[in-house]
Amino acid sequence: MILRPIMLAVVLAGSLIFALFEKGSTRWNTADGWCLDFLVANVRERLEKTVLTPAEDVVFIEFNEKDKAEFSAWPPAPIDYIMALKKLKPHEPDVLAFSDVLKWDNRDLQFVDELQQLLVGFSQVAMAFAATTGAIAESGLVSEDKEVPSMASVEGDSTAAAKLSRLVFPDARLSRQMQLGFVATRLDNAVDVPLLLVGRADSKLVPSLAAQMIALHSHAPYVSQRLRFGLGAGLYLGSDRFIPLAQDGIARPRLRGEVTRVNALDLLTPELDDETSKVLADKLGKNKLVILGTAPSPGESHARLAAWVLALPLLKQAPDYVCWLVTLISVLLAAWQLRYGRWRAVIFGMCAFAALLGTAVVVFESSLRWCPPLLPVAVLLTSTLFCVIWPLHQPGKEKSR
């Protein structure tokens, strides 16, 4: 009977058109999220436990406390940052970050406006604000009228995230139109401060400086980020970067070696055409994530966290032609499914789905490549329902009755 295959083709075309109209919608993104969560769960242990070499894209410029006599003030004053930034400008950093709070007690301090004008010339800038955490920290203790940044998409029980309090923001003249992220210290003055990628201030989930730097360098706006707590906790930046986290939002980077470091004094001295200047130029390179901060300070941990995350392997979404090839295979399976009776068609549909799922798991474990599932799943689900509603007519069985 030729009518049945024709009707199946019409129904499958309708389901594919409907699915394509859903592309980019909440339902489509939810399906992609479920698929990624399942696939990532199979390689999560490998991502967490593999010791990585720090990404070369991350450079920490240290204002070392042992050299404080060489700077105009301690902590460094705006003029010190101005001199360093003028030396950095030709290297065109992709992201420029400050791990110390750029706030000074003297409101009439010179060169703050000049520093602000210089910062405008950099493409992406992230600044730290201070936050206190610990067992007795209380959220909501914000002494300044300042809006804290927050994550848009959060899944799971976010009450496990560490509370932030006593927030201190950089000078308003500098932080205008800049991305802000917290750098935490503990109320009990513990030396071992956990590496929080996110924290909680009232009902908001606030990104750390490391999270902001990584998102900027990955060109992942808030709308493309998805934060997950509980089992499978982690932060997705778009569809190609996953950062595994503990269930309370703490990151545990595993690095072999140190982040690339540059002494700030090398940027404050005149440039000479010698071997030292060439080594400095090689370290700074082009289009890197450059962090300026005092040492020792929590900012060094944020640099290590960023270097670990950027060294993690990327998740690779398959190109469109591969997705359509998988969909075509599903259509061919659906055509073959017409040869079976009602319940055999259901079993065939379940086996076909399991085969595609198993292939997806094997491919992802070997290459971290994945394909959006909605189109092939729509084909197999539609064809299975079609075979249940309009089963194969079997004349032999009719005669036996």
Side-chain angles (χ1 to χ4, degrees):
M1 184 169 60
I2 195 168
L3 180 60
R4 192 162 171 262
I6 292 175
M7 287 304 299
L8 176 62
V10 172
V11 172
L12 288 181
S15 68
L16 286 174
I17 291 171
F18 176 77
L20 287 173
F21 272 113
E22 287 291 308
K23 191 171 184 178
S25 68
T26 301
R27 281 183 289 238
W28 180 284
N29 293 333
T30 300
D32 282 357
W34 286 346
C35 178
L36 266 180
D37 288 342
F38 174 77
L39 294 173
V40 167
N42 290 278
V43 299
R44 181 185 181 92
E45 186 175 357
R46 188 175 78 196
L47 294 176
E48 287 182 322
K49 294 187 176 180
T50 302
V51 181
L52 301 171
T53 302
E56 295 180 357
D57 282 355
V58 179
V59 180
F60 184 73
I61 297 178
E62 57 178 346
F63 291 79
N64 204 302
E65 189 173 8
K66 68 181 182 181
D67 301 323
K68 63 182 181 181
E70 304 295 330
F71 302 106
S72 64
W74 190 261
I79 187 61
D80 297 309
Y81 288 109
I82 289 173
M83 294 173 65
L85 293 182
K86 285 183 177 179
K87 200 79 166 284
L88 277 174
K89 192 72 170 71
H91 294 277
E92 301 175 354
D94 181 48
V95 179
L96 182 69
F98 296 86
S99 62
D100 295 297
V101 182
L102 299 187
K103 182 175 183 177
W104 297 273
D105 294 335
N106 184 1
R107 294 289 301 174
D108 299 323
L109 190 67
Q110 291 184 317
F111 303 113
V112 175
D113 292 331
E114 289 83 350
L115 178 57
Q116 190 274 331
Q117 293 173 9
L118 189 58
L119 289 173
V120 172
F122 290 86
S123 58
Q124 301 185 103
V125 180
M127 289 188 176
F129 66 89
T132 304
T133 185
I136 59 173
E138 297 179 8
S139 63
L141 300 180
V142 183
S143 58
E144 304 176 41
D145 185 17
K146 187 76 174 180
E147 185 73 15
V148 295
S150 62
M151 312 293 291
S153 178
V154 181
E155 301 172 4
D157 183 12
S158 61
T159 58
K163 292 182 179 180
L164 305 177
S165 67
R166 304 182 185 181
L167 310 185
V168 179
F169 294 95
D171 192 300
R173 291 171 288 180
L174 299 176
S175 61
R176 194 179 300 117
Q177 297 181 340
M178 304 297 179
Q179 294 289 349
L180 297 176
F182 72 84
V183 171
T185 57
R186 290 181 64 90
L187 284 174
D188 51 12
N189 295 319
V191 176
D192 185 20
V193 179
L195 280 174
L196 300 176
L197 199 69
V198 292
R200 183 159 53 92
D202 293 331
S203 60
K204 293 183 177 181
L205 274 299
V206 184
S208 67
L209 178 67
Q212 292 285 40
M213 295 188 299
I214 296 161
L216 287 173
H217 193 61
S218 303
H219 303 286
Y222 281 132
V223 69
S224 70
Q225 299 179 29
R226 181 164 63 95
L227 177 62
R228 182 181 176 92
F229 285 94
L231 291 175
L235 175 62
Y236 287 94
L237 299 177
S239 60
D240 58 1
R241 192 178 293 283
F242 174 73
I243 308 170
L245 302 173
Q247 295 189 26
D248 53 3
I250 292 177
R252 294 185 172 90
R254 297 173 66 86
L255 286 177
R256 181 190 300 109
E258 289 295 325
V259 175
T260 301
R261 287 176 175 259
V262 171
N263 193 315
L265 288 179
D266 294 336
L267 298 178
L268 272 58
T269 55
E271 187 172 346
L272 302 174
D273 189 16
D274 57 7
E275 190 62 30
T276 303
S277 298
K278 292 177 181 178
V279 171
L280 176 62
D282 289 340
K283 285 185 176 181
L284 295 175
K286 291 274 189 179
N287 301 314
K288 293 192 175 185
L289 195 169
V290 178
I291 308 153
L292 290 85
T294 55
S297 75
E300 296 172 282
S301 298
H302 284 252
R304 285 181 57 81
L305 178 52
W308 172 66
V309 170
L310 295 178
L312 287 170
L314 291 175
L315 314 180
K316 309 174 192 73
Q317 182 172 329
D320 288 343
Y321 76 87
V322 174
C323 298
W324 280 110
L325 180 60
V326 175
T327 304
L328 176 60
I329 292 172
S330 301
V331 171
L332 294 176
L333 290 172
W336 190 267
Q337 194 175 20
L338 285 174
R339 302 174 71 249
Y340 299 105
R342 176 180 284 129
W343 298 116
R344 286 189 177 183
V346 171
I347 294 172
F348 180 87
M350 294 173 63
C351 292
F353 177 78
L356 288 178
L357 183 61
T359 302
V361 170
V362 171
V363 170
F364 190 80
E365 287 185 347
S366 61
S367 65
L368 295 183
R369 294 187 180 276
W370 69 284
C371 178
L374 201 54
L375 292 181
V377 168
V379 168
L380 289 177
L381 182 60
T382 300
S383 65
T384 301
L385 288 175
F386 180 88
C387 290
V388 170
I389 295 171
W390 191 345
L392 177 68
H393 180 64
Q394 297 174 309
K397 288 190 177 181
E398 288 290 329
K399 290 179 181 178
S400 67
R401 293 177 187 174

